[in-house]
Amino acid sequence: MATGAPALPQTEAPPPESLPADQAARLEELLAELGQPGRQDWQKVEQEIVRIWSQSGSPAMDLLLARGNEALEAEDFPTAVEHFSALVDHAPDFAEGWNARATAFFLMGEYGLAINDVEHVLALNPRHFGALSGLGFMLEAMGEPDLALEALQAAQALNPNQPNISESVKRLEQMTGDAEL
């Protein structure tokens, strides 16, 4: 299968070293909370994790991320890619820059470019449930249900209360014959 899909990472990776110790500890707490099935406030926890992940430590890089996100919201994908490309050029160790550009490429239908960026995200942040779920959705769209299921199961292990992921895992398990009877 020549999809170019990255190998899925282990989910027991340390937090990004660029985070201050207090934020790294808080991120660990939040990821543990997010991983609790049946949690009612999972969306709030998820948003706090994404907020922490979105802090580059540089006001200039945060501005590029914000401008790229504004262009995404305006559906100006080429401009978003320009901002995010500048971000990953100047801050190649900032996983959220790669993730944002992967999102823009995904929305443009450029799955190969998006998957390449997801590979960078997962190398820097193996527990990035958004990148894992995005990878799963792209692989499914590309006709790779087994690989899609693997990626979505990894995302589900990190974020078990996200209904889109759970529904997709169920559907793919039935499609691939991996469903429990």
Side-chain angles (χ1 to χ4, degrees):
M1 287 177 258
T3 64
L8 295 178
Q10 301 298 315
T11 58
E12 295 300 318
E17 293 179 13
S18 61
L19 288 178
D22 61 329
Q23 274 196 321
R26 179 67 181 137
L27 182 59
E28 289 303 314
E29 291 172 13
L30 289 166
L31 285 164
E33 290 174 16
L34 187 67
Q36 298 169 353
R39 191 170 180 104
Q40 297 300 309
D41 66 343
W42 68 269
Q43 289 172 310
K44 180 181 172 195
V45 175
E46 180 184 86
Q47 288 172 350
E48 181 64 12
I49 291 167
V50 171
R51 186 191 66 74
I52 292 171
W53 283 346
S54 296
Q55 297 173 354
S56 71
S58 162
M61 297 307 104
D62 291 347
L63 180 61
L64 283 172
L65 182 63
R67 287 192 175 157
N69 283 331
E70 289 168 7
L72 268 186
E73 288 175 24
E75 298 184 10
D76 183 356
F77 305 131
T79 298
V81 167
E82 286 179 28
H83 288 297
F84 297 142
S85 292
L87 177 55
V88 300
D89 286 347
H90 293 290
D93 294 333
F94 180 47
E96 206 55 33
W98 293 101
N99 186 61
R101 192 170 75 172
T103 300
F105 283 141
F106 170 78
L107 292 170
M108 294 171 72
E110 297 286 349
Y111 292 169
L113 294 171
I115 287 172
N116 185 56
D117 281 1
V118 165
E119 189 172 83
H120 287 280
V121 175
L122 295 176
L124 294 165
N125 182 357
R127 296 182 291 182
H128 200 296
F129 46 82
L132 286 165
S133 62
L135 176 62
F137 296 135
M138 286 185 283
L139 290 169
E140 183 179 7
M142 295 168 63
E144 297 287 351
D146 292 318
L147 293 173
L149 178 59
E150 186 179 345
L152 287 166
Q153 285 173 330
Q156 185 180 44
L158 296 164
N159 194 356
N161 299 302
Q162 172 52 265
N164 291 343
I165 295 172
S166 297
E167 292 164 9
S168 295
V169 165
K170 256 185 215 174
R171 184 184 64 256
L172 286 167
E173 284 175 340
Q174 291 173 347
M175 181 187 302
T176 62
D178 287 347
E180 293 181 21
L181 299 177

